[in-house]
Amino acid sequence: MEEEQVERDLQLVIITGLSGAGKTVAVQSLEDLGYFCVDNLPPALIPKFAELMRQSEGKVSRLALVCDIRGGSWFSHLLMALKDLGERYGVQYRILFLEARDEVLVRRYKATRRRHPLAQGNRILEGIEKERTLLEEIRDRADWIIDTSLLKPAELKEKIAAHFSGSDINRLTLHLVSFGFKYGVPIDADLVFDVRFLPNPYYLDALRPLTGLDLDVYEYVMKWPAAKTFSDKLTDMLDFLLPQYVKEGRSQLVVAVGCTGGQHRSVAMVELLRRHYQAREKVHVYHRDIHRDLAKGADVDG
């Protein structure tokens, strides 16, 4: 009976996901919370760890294991090992899956100059695409999926600490993204809004080289009745939607606002949303295209 109680009290987290998506940060975060952590463990050994934990008589009650495609052919046994873990040992576990957009993963790999485990001399992107396919089934089984595309390492640590330390996780993380339609809609956007109907500061010589972060541009965009009506209706709708997403179990929401070039109108509107929500939600702002054309010295119709 006592042994059964120990089994029920075991807390096991399986960390997996795409290479470069932040698994190292995740395992460090859990280690800081008191988890016993093992990186790159062959899946076949997971049940053995469960047996060791049973023998520890509660001394090791929280365990985090990183299992990913670095394990080569062994990784294919992960789902079978987890099934054995539950059926044979009665250990409850949660799967934390980390991912990011392709362009973000490519940029991270180039910055670190490391090779993708599946690239095998080919392009990094080919390795990423192959890895996504291999991870589809385990992703479908995940209890919590985090897209780290817009997260800094410190922000990812904060999110994981809040989730696994038992603190308030019902506070939504709101990602506000400004962008230019000429460069494409952000692929991770949950909600997309178009402000190209607003008067464009681009056509004023004094405002053209500035951005929506500059007060003159912000005030120009917001002075129009249409901007006031739109912002009131937008915040009213988001005020309604955000609690609904929390109730559904969402931990983060990406709201994207676009104009033509992503320099003026969309930036100003996102800044308005930042001011509206920063006191109530955890808000992260990303102005994706704000300096794209300025850096090239090209004209931007933003």
Side-chain angles (χ1 to χ4, degrees):
M1 186 70 172
E2 182 178 343
E3 184 178 77
E4 292 178 357
Q5 181 63 43
V6 172
E7 286 184 42
R8 286 195 296 269
D9 290 343
L10 296 177
Q11 299 179 42
L12 173 59
V13 178
I14 305 296
I15 303 172
T16 188
L18 293 167
S19 302
K23 296 189 295 292
T24 299
V25 174
V27 75
Q28 290 172 347
S29 303
L30 290 175
E31 192 170 32
D32 291 342
L33 294 175
Y35 280 75
F36 182 82
C37 299
V38 181
D39 188 15
N40 199 18
L41 183 75
L45 296 181
I46 293 178
K48 296 296 183 181
F49 264 84
E51 187 175 354
L52 287 174
M53 288 190 293
R54 290 173 61 188
Q55 295 173 356
S56 75
E57 298 181 350
K59 294 179 181 177
V60 178
S61 60
R62 296 194 290 179
L63 180 65
L65 307 176
V66 181
C67 299
D68 54 34
I69 52 92
R70 289 175 298 165
S73 60
W74 286 343
F75 181 70
S76 62
H77 302 299
L78 177 57
L79 291 176
M80 184 62 69
L82 293 179
K83 180 180 179 182
D84 189 36
L85 186 67
E87 293 180 355
R88 183 177 177 184
Y89 295 96
V91 175
Q92 300 296 316
Y93 60 87
R94 288 178 288 174
I95 300 175
L96 169 61
F97 189 95
L98 301 176
E99 62 184 9
R101 301 195 305 265
D102 286 354
E103 61 267 28
V104 173
L105 294 174
V106 170
R107 185 169 66 245
R108 290 174 181 173
Y109 263 98
K110 288 189 174 182
T112 60
R113 298 184 179 181
R114 298 188 62 192
R115 293 184 301 173
H116 190 281
L118 297 181
Q120 297 179 344
N122 297 320
R123 295 168 56 221
I124 295 173
L125 188 57
E126 293 178 17
I128 294 171
E129 292 170 349
K130 185 176 181 180
E131 186 177 22
R132 284 194 191 277
T133 301
L134 292 174
L135 294 177
E136 283 180 354
E137 191 172 0
I138 192 66
R139 185 186 188 279
D140 291 340
R141 294 274 302 275
D143 298 284
W144 194 27
I145 300 173
I146 303 180
D147 187 328
T148 66
S149 300
L150 301 178
L151 296 179
K152 297 177 181 178
E155 295 169 343
L156 177 57
K157 271 193 168 186
E158 178 186 351
K159 180 183 287 290
I160 291 175
H163 188 88
F164 288 98
S165 65
S167 60
D168 181 16
I169 61 172
N170 291 322
R171 194 177 176 205
L172 190 74
T173 298
L174 181 61
H175 297 280
L176 301 173
V177 182
S178 70
F179 71 95
F181 276 98
K182 64 191 288 187
Y183 303 115
V185 176
I187 62 175
D188 61 338
D190 297 299
L191 301 172
V192 178
F193 299 96
D194 185 349
V195 294
R196 286 176 291 185
F197 64 91
L198 295 175
N200 194 345
Y202 170 82
Y203 295 108
L204 297 179
D205 291 340
L207 300 183
R208 184 179 302 172
L210 304 180
T211 75
L213 296 178
D214 293 294
L215 183 61
D216 288 345
V217 172
Y218 181 88
E219 290 182 343
Y220 176 84
V221 172
M222 296 303 170
K223 75 177 183 177
W224 305 100
K228 178 66 166 62
T229 301
F230 175 79
S231 62
D232 287 346
K233 290 182 180 294
L234 178 57
T235 53
D236 184 58
M237 181 177 68
L238 291 176
D239 287 346
F240 166 76
L241 286 176
L242 297 185
Q244 309 308 315
Y245 283 119
V246 170
K247 189 183 300 182
E248 182 203 2
R250 295 285 293 271
S251 61
Q252 59 180 323
L253 187 74
V254 180
V255 177
V257 180
C259 58
T260 304
Q263 180 183 344
H264 299 116
R265 294 166 291 180
S266 62
V267 174
M269 191 60 66
V270 161
E271 288 301 310
L272 181 144
L273 293 176
R274 180 214 291 266
R275 297 172 188 179
H276 184 80
Y277 287 107
Q278 62 185 0
R280 289 181 282 165
E281 309 289 348
K282 291 183 286 187
V283 176
H284 300 293
V285 171
Y286 176 44
H287 297 301
R288 192 190 71 177
D289 302 320
I290 188 171
H291 296 306
R292 187 189 291 259
D293 286 277
L294 294 178
K296 295 188 299 184
D299 287 339
V300 55
D301 183 5

